[in-house]
């Protein structure tokens, strides 16, 4: 495995689906040795809506790069014993199982701490480890509902809308990665491990903190806006561009408190006359004529491609963004091509964190159990005979 900023940190990864796997993949990008512990046959997201029967699903491939796979049957006593021996040589154990499963397996905090007092146990749950909901299962959409993001998305006269990005899953994964690194740094001072806990519900609530502040200040739920622009600003929102396809839009953001930004916009579209127009003297006045000014903006954007609109406005200092435009991502190698042993070549997002001293790489997600012999030999020093015996007894 390549050297990286977190080289030397060994993480036993018991995660599945997205929330936990996004956390460990991020740490793997940054150089940690991620040993993915899976049941024999592989964790269940390998089979989650597979595009090619018999091969790992893209859902799995997107969240499990930069890991080594070891298959162990943790339902067998000898499998649990093997895992605890590995924990003796690890820094972190990460899990996002259903509530109580680690304890039922005999692999809870007390067992891990007995095996290794320096171990960090990272636990990502839908509702955390305490509180009235802590025994309830959760997925991303449940976290979005209970965390409040659905209360601020969608249209005011219809039901709430699920955010397309899985912020309940991957957002919690990022928070967990930060928590793990905080515990690791603290361990350097104290020498002691600890439990790191992240709740998906709380992670979502944290991501929409501005709305929560408004809710508690006003003492009433925050209403859904019903469109893509906050009131009081114009132009501000999505504007259709040519040729009129499903993603031929650009988002333009002109803050109502910033008169200079409005002037930059007027000049960029060739409408210097608006600088002295009485309808445009300030933000409150412009808002009184929002329909007229939006029609003017749409007429200008509708005659141009989204890339032209974005380039023209952005160069003029107007914050804007073309919908689903990956030119910049590709230019920065934020989307990379990997070569997978069964799925062939395909493109995936790369690490979004850049370090000047070490460049994260993206290695193909492992096949189930691909590194079992390699890891058990490296970490525990098991002989080929011992490994053969474990296989014969279906422990690995």
């Amino acid at each position: 495995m390549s050297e990286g900023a977190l080289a030397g940190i060994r993480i036993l990864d018991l995660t599945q689906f997205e929330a936990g796997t996004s956390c460990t993949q991020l740490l793997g990008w940054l150089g940690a040795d991620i040993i993915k512990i899976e049941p024999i046959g592989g964790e269940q997201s390998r089979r989650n809506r597979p595009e090619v029967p018999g091969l790992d699903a893209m859902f799995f491939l997107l969240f499990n790069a930069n890991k080594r796979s070891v298959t162990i049957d943790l339902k067998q006593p000898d499998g649990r014993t093997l895992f605890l021996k590995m924990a003796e040589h690890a820094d972190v154990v990460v899990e996002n199982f259903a509530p109580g499963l680690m304890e039922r397996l005999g692999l809870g905090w007390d067992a891990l701490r007995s095996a290794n007092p320096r171990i960090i146990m990272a636990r990502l749950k839908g509702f955390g480890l305490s509180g009235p909901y802590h025994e309830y299962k959760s997925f991303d959409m449940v976290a979005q509902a209970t965390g409040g993001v659905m209360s601020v998305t969608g249209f005011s006269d219809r039901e709430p809308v699920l955010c397309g990005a899985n912020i309940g899953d991957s957002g919690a994964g990022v928070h967990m990665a930060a928590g793990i690194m905080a515990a690791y740094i603290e361990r350097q001072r104290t020498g002691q491990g600890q439990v790191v806990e992240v709740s998906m519900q709380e992670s979502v609530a944290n991501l929409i903190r501005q709305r929560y502040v408004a809710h508690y200040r006003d003492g009433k739920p925050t209403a859904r806006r019903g469109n893509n622009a906050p009131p009081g600003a114009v132009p501000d929102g999505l504007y259709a561009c040519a040729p009129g396809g499903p993603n031929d839009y650009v988002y333009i953001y002109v803050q109502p408190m910033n008169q200079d930004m409005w002037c930059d916009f007027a000049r960029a579209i060739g409408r210097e006359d608006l600088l002295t127009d009485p309808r445009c003297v300030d933000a409150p006045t412009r808002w009184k004529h929002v329909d007229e000014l939006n029609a003017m903006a749409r007429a200008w954007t509708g005659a141009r491609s989204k890339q032209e609109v974005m380039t023209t406005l952005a160069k003029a200092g107007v914050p804007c963004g073309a919908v689903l435009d990956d030119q910049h991502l590709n230019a920065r190698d934020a989307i990379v091509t990997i070569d997978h042993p069964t799925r062939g070549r395909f493109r995936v997002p790369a690490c979004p964190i850049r370090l000047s001293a070490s460049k994260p790489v993206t290695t193909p997600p492992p096949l189930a159990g691909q590194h079992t012999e390699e890891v058990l030999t490296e970490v525990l020093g098991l002989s080929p005979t011992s490994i053969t015996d474990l296989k014969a007894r279906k422990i690995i």
Side-chain angles (χ1 to χ4, degrees), residues 1-322:
M1 300 184 71
S2 64
E3 286 289 304
L6 302 184
I9 298 178
R10 178 173 291 150
I11 297 175
L12 301 185
D13 178 11
L14 289 169
T15 65
Q16 55 186 343
F17 299 119
E18 179 175 348
T21 55
S22 61
C23 166
T24 50
Q25 178 172 254
L26 176 58
L27 297 173
W29 265 323
L30 297 176
D33 180 13
I34 309 298
I35 300 175
K36 187 175 179 68
I37 308 296
E38 306 183 67
I40 295 174
E43 64 116 323
Q44 53 191 315
S45 66
R46 289 182 181 271
R47 299 174 291 280
N48 188 12
R49 302 187 297 275
E51 301 80 8
V52 181
L55 299 185
D56 291 336
M58 187 60 67
F59 180 89
F60 172 86
L61 300 178
L62 288 173
F63 296 101
N64 288 283
N66 296 73
K67 303 180 182 182
R68 297 192 286 175
S69 173
V70 174
T71 50
I72 302 175
D73 186 355
L74 296 178
K75 294 180 181 180
Q76 296 196 50
D78 286 348
R80 294 192 290 272
T81 298
L82 186 63
F83 176 80
L84 289 172
K85 287 181 179 178
M86 294 183 69
E88 294 176 14
H89 303 273
D91 297 290
V92 186
V93 170
V94 189
E95 62 94 8
N96 66 328
F97 288 140
L101 180 57
M102 287 292 283
E103 286 71 20
R104 291 194 294 274
L105 286 172
L107 299 175
W109 171 236
D110 289 340
L112 290 177
R113 181 171 51 180
S114 295
N116 181 358
R118 291 173 54 83
I119 200 74
I120 295 166
M121 185 181 191
R123 315 195 69 176
L124 200 160
K125 305 296 180 184
F127 299 102
L129 299 175
S130 62
Y133 298 166
H134 79 277
E135 294 182 343
Y136 298 169
K137 295 179 180 179
S138 178
F139 283 99
D140 174 82
M141 59 290 296
V142 176
Q144 287 197 33
T146 59
V149 70
M150 287 189 188
S151 72
V152 298
T153 56
F155 298 86
S156 57
D157 61 341
R158 280 172 261 170
E159 71 275 6
V161 174
L162 181 73
C163 176
N166 284 6
I167 63 172
D169 277 336
S170 289
V174 171
H175 285 146
M176 177 58 83
I180 289 170
M181 295 317 304
Y184 185 82
I185 292 171
E186 185 173 19
R187 193 185 72 179
Q188 291 178 309
R189 298 196 308 268
T190 67
Q192 296 298 310
Q194 61 179 296
V195 175
V196 179
E197 173 193 352
V198 170
S199 155
M200 292 167 63
Q201 180 195 26
E202 293 168 16
S203 179
V204 169
N206 183 272
L207 292 171
I208 62 164
R209 68 191 72 179
Q210 182 179 358
R211 295 288 170 166
Y212 258 96
V213 169
H215 167 70
Y216 285 108
R217 182 181 62 236
D218 300 336
K220 58 184 179 181
T222 305
R224 295 189 300 280
R225 294 190 306 220
N227 54 48
N228 288 304
V234 58
D236 201 336
L238 280 173
Y239 295 84
C241 302
N247 284 304
D248 289 322
Y249 290 84
V250 67
Y251 192 95
I252 301 172
Y253 184 59
V254 176
Q255 294 177 307
M257 73 286 288
N258 192 326
Q259 184 69 12
D260 290 340
M261 213 171 282
W262 159 258
C263 295
D264 291 337
F265 172 78
R267 294 189 186 99
I269 67 172
R271 292 295 305 269
E272 287 84 354
D273 58 298
L274 295 175
L275 301 178
T276 56
D277 191 312
R279 299 173 299 172
C280 304
V281 293
D282 55 26
T285 305
R286 289 195 296 274
W287 185 248
K288 294 178 181 178
H289 303 279
V290 59
D291 292 337
E292 300 167 61
L293 294 175
N294 270 334
M296 173 205 68
R298 291 192 185 98
W300 184 80
T301 62
R304 295 161 177 81
S305 70
K306 63 184 182 183
Q307 286 85 7
E308 181 184 352
V309 170
M310 179 177 174
T311 300
T312 301
L313 295 182
K315 286 184 176 180
V318 178
C320 60

